[in-house]
Amino acid sequence: MFSPRSRLATGTVVALTATLGLSACGNKDGEGTAAESCVDTSGDSIKLGFLNSTSGAMAISEQTVRDSLSLAAEEINADGGILGKEIEFVTEDGASDPAIFAEKIDKLLTGDCVAAVFGGWTSASRKAMLPVVEANNGLLFYPVQYEGLEASENIYYTGATTNQQIIPAMDFLASEGVESLFLAGSDYVFPRTANKIIKQYAAELGIEIVGEEYVPLDDDDWTTQVAKIVEADPDFVFNTINGSSNVGFIKAYYEQGLTAETNPIISVSIAEEEAPAMGKDVTGQYAAWNYFQSVESPTNATFIAAFQDKYGAERPTSDPMEAAYTSLYLYKALVEKAESFEVDDINESADGVTFDAPEGTVTIDGDNHHIAKTALIGQINSDNQFDVVWSSESPIEPDPFLEGYDWWDPSAE
Amino acid sequence: MRTAVRTFGPLVAIAALAVLLLVVAPAVLSPFRLNNLGKYCCWAIAAVGIGLAWGRGGMLVMGQGVFFGIGGYAMAMHLKLEAAGPEGVPDFMMLYGDGTMPVWWEPFRSGAFTLFAIVALPAVAAAILGYAIFKRRVKGAYFAILTQALAVVFATLLIATIQETGGFNGLNQFTFFFGYNLYDPVNKKMVYSIAAALLIGCLVVVWQLYRSRFGELLVATRDAEERVRFLGHDPANVKLAAFVIAAVMASIGGAMFAPIAGIISPSDVDATASIFLIAGVALGGRALLLGPALGALAVGYGRSSLSESFPDQWTYFLGALFIVVILLFPAGLGSAFGRAAALVPLPRRKETTS
């Protein structure tokens, strides 16, 4: 079929490629040398990376985190920086895509040589960044409440883990005398794990789970699932839906005649930012967080004033924004306690580092890198703000693996 | 002389690309950049297949993410099991489920089976699918919509099977690649080289195909399917072969993507990801030999560098770039060189002697 000459030429290219390819042989015995840190601490500034999605489906949420990180950096710089060094931040777009998050954090750590990265939103983005930040012995500050069951030496989790949000929400429901509960969530790891915990704790509390429904993350049609809620008529609906899918859920919920009086909803991802965007009057519904804009404290008043001064008086503040803001201040406190930007030094002296955050005083647990936080339940009022109706007596120690809860069995379905 | 240029010119170009990717790039790029280039190479491998199916075969395959995903997930499952160790179960199954592993994961413990599956699974899937489509003479927009829908279905299925495939999070945290520690920079370089060499290999394969009778038949089918039928060939078989080869190439690209990117998730294989693959091919020139590969490399590079330089506006730039290219060079940027070359008169041999 082919002339001998062309066969020869093809053979040459193939042989050439094979030789070149093989010349880059691997190293099978090596332990895998960890990359040397290239962070430059000699100058009078220190580089930090802000990695949030500013494009794609999550941009609308993550932009708010970016805004409060920028605010915190500005404030810290105005106040003399970290260990006297000015923060110089490098921003990257995670593009709502886990693989891009993995690429960009690699770029920030090995290319820009930042001392720490702040960002991530979805669990997928965090899971994607985890191996990269561990391989480079870097630092990541993750500001969003999540499903727990994780503790990396190289990540600080400044949002709530499940025993600071999901479990207190169940305690609240029990205190309200709730007997039946319907679970509605997006189909990904956070709602699945949260509902696994909820089901086991509900059995302990004697609350009956009368239904469990999932819809994919970007799906807006909740009609049939809400019909099942109408039929089950639960005392409460536990909502672990994330993102814009909430709009479709809330729409179907009200259109099928459910109300906050008859079958109230308790949500874990609807905050000040989302409540007015629901397209329905959601007054009277509940949410479980660790921070509300309505929290009354001098530090919160200062935070809100500074934020609205920078971004506009109409902008609300919310839990993830506050957790991101807090994360940068915690980093400053960590570095100043360790008197070093080295990850190992920071980790060594991390235990007990505190910050007087807008949500109240938070304290780092040196073992699991989460922070002690007070749990709050808020009820939405007519201004789309939350009235705090319940709170834990004191900050709850983080327990990401729920080791202190004997009803928890991770291997049970 | 001119025939020799026509025959071996492409081969020289492939060889030049090989030297560039396998000698120059590892010498001058930082490990991070090299790893990124590895990712672009994976997309380029899939793009070479798209060039065959779409550029030469006229089949607008809008769902190559499916085959990219088959290869990617097959490889990722093996790497996941390798990381878990013998008898081990992937970490996410313990986190999200009851810690039992589905039976169909078991064969992927074997490296040999995984390599076989990376080629065989997409080939079988594409053969069955292609047979059903082409024998029914589905083509044009209907074919494109159908393949696009497949990508949506595939991503939705992955997201819904969180205990089996990691769901929305996908699979990551690989430590070993067939015994080689992936945290070792030397080994990362090796994985890159394999991907780059596979890209060159795929280019050589399509070069031979384009020169063969099959290549002629494929173009003929694209341009005048009915005439090919009247000449006694079954266009369905020709298209099927091109579709299967394209699927296998996409799968190989996906298989290398997993260890290089360190992750494979539904967003790497869904409809959007499939369109990004198409975009690279369109940009480079779908009917040219090197167009699809160079286009995919360029789009990959553009995505990374534009988003680094303009983290807030880069998506607009990329969109504008596509619009400009499609408007000015409907046959791809590669065709611009062809046009420029056509303006320069070459010393022509007398036509009669050929």
Side-chain angles (χ1 to χ4, degrees), chain B residues 23-49:
Chain B
V23 181
V24 181
V28 298
L29 292 179
S30 73
F32 166 69
R33 295 287 166 207
L34 192 67
N35 203 52
N36 269 354
L37 182 59
K39 275 205 299 194
Y40 315 151
C41 284
C42 298
W43 288 323
I45 293 172
V48 171

Side-chain angles (χ1 to χ4, degrees), chain B residues 72-300:
Chain B
Y73 272 86
M75 179 63 92
M77 283 161 69
H78 175 65
L79 300 183
K80 211 66 198 146
L81 289 167
E82 213 179 339
E87 308 297 311
V89 169
D91 48 5
F92 74 91
M93 290 185 184
M94 292 187 266
L95 281 178
Y96 314 148
D98 51 7
T100 52
M101 196 170 71
V103 192
W104 52 271
W105 267 69
E106 204 56 54
F108 288 91
R109 277 193 200 283
S110 150
F113 175 83
T114 305
L115 293 180
F116 168 73
I118 287 166
V119 176
L121 282 181
V124 172
I128 295 172
L129 191 71
Y131 188 82
I133 294 175
F134 300 128
K135 288 291 179 190
R136 284 192 174 71
R137 302 189 190 175
V138 176
K139 53 190 163 188
Y142 301 101
F143 176 80
I145 293 167
L146 205 150
T147 51
Q148 175 89 87
L150 268 179
V152 175
V153 168
F154 186 62
T156 309
L157 178 72
L158 288 172
I159 289 171
T161 51
I162 183 166
Q163 289 172 21
E164 292 83 19
T165 67
F168 187 71
N169 284 10
L171 300 174
N172 76 335
Q173 285 183 278
F174 315 129
T175 40
F176 292 100
F177 178 77
F178 294 86
Y180 292 96
N181 189 324
L182 276 172
Y183 287 124
D184 193 327
V186 179
N187 294 341
K188 291 196 93 159
K189 208 171 202 174
M190 174 190 70
V191 177
Y192 160 79
S193 302
I194 295 173
L198 283 169
L199 171 60
I200 301 300
C202 288
L203 282 170
V204 172
V205 168
V206 291
W207 174 69
Q208 284 286 31
L209 284 178
Y210 287 176
R211 285 156 40 85
S212 69
R213 276 166 48 126
F214 168 76
E216 300 285 330
L217 206 50
L218 188 61
V219 173
T221 308
R222 175 191 72 188
D223 293 340
E225 189 168 335
E226 288 309 311
R227 291 196 197 175
V228 170
R229 204 189 307 279
F230 292 146
L231 288 171
H233 295 283
D234 187 349
N237 292 341
V238 182
K239 288 171 140 186
L240 186 60
F243 186 58
V244 168
I245 296 169
V248 170
M249 284 184 181
S251 177
I252 292 172
M256 292 313 296
F257 182 85
I260 290 177
I263 182 170
I264 186 111
S265 78
S267 53
D268 300 314
V269 306
D270 62 6
T272 319
S274 305
I275 288 174
F276 251 104
L277 291 174
I278 292 275
V281 177
L283 185 81
R286 61 182 186 272
L288 304 166
L289 175 67
L290 287 175
L294 294 180
L297 291 172
V299 167

Side-chain angles (χ1 to χ4, degrees), chain A residues 104-115:
Chain A
K104 294 301 182 189
I105 196 171
D106 199 346
K107 183 248 175 192
L108 286 169
L109 293 172
T110 64
D112 297 313
C113 299
V114 300

Side-chain angles (χ1 to χ4, degrees), chain A residues 184-196 214 240-242:
Chain A
S186 303
D187 201 357
Y188 75 108
V189 55
F190 170 70
R192 290 270 179 189
T193 314
N195 285 343
K196 190 166 154 180
Y214 297 93
T240 47
I241 303 164
N242 205 346

Side-chain angles (χ1 to χ4, degrees), chain A residues 229-287:
Chain A
I229 301 181
V230 173
E231 197 176 313
D233 192 24
D235 289 351
F236 248 92
V237 179
F238 206 116
N239 167 19
T240 47
I241 303 164
N242 205 346
S244 59
S245 189
N246 267 307
V247 178
F249 171 68
I250 294 287
K251 182 167 174 279
Y253 170 94
Y254 282 101
E255 282 177 357
Q256 298 193 27
L258 301 171
T259 66
E261 284 73 41
T262 56
N263 312 85
I265 305 170
I266 184 162
S267 306
V268 290
S269 11
I270 294 183
E272 288 83 351
E273 194 81 38
E274 291 82 10
M278 287 301 138
K280 296 274 175 186
D281 181 8
V282 287
T283 306
Q285 305 290 7
Y286 298 84

Side-chain angles (χ1 to χ4, degrees), chain A residues 291-301 304 358-359 388:
Chain A
Y291 167 87
F292 290 112
Q293 188 173 345
S294 61
V295 166
E296 283 179 29
S297 73
T299 37
N300 189 32
I304 297 169
E359 67 181 83
V388 175

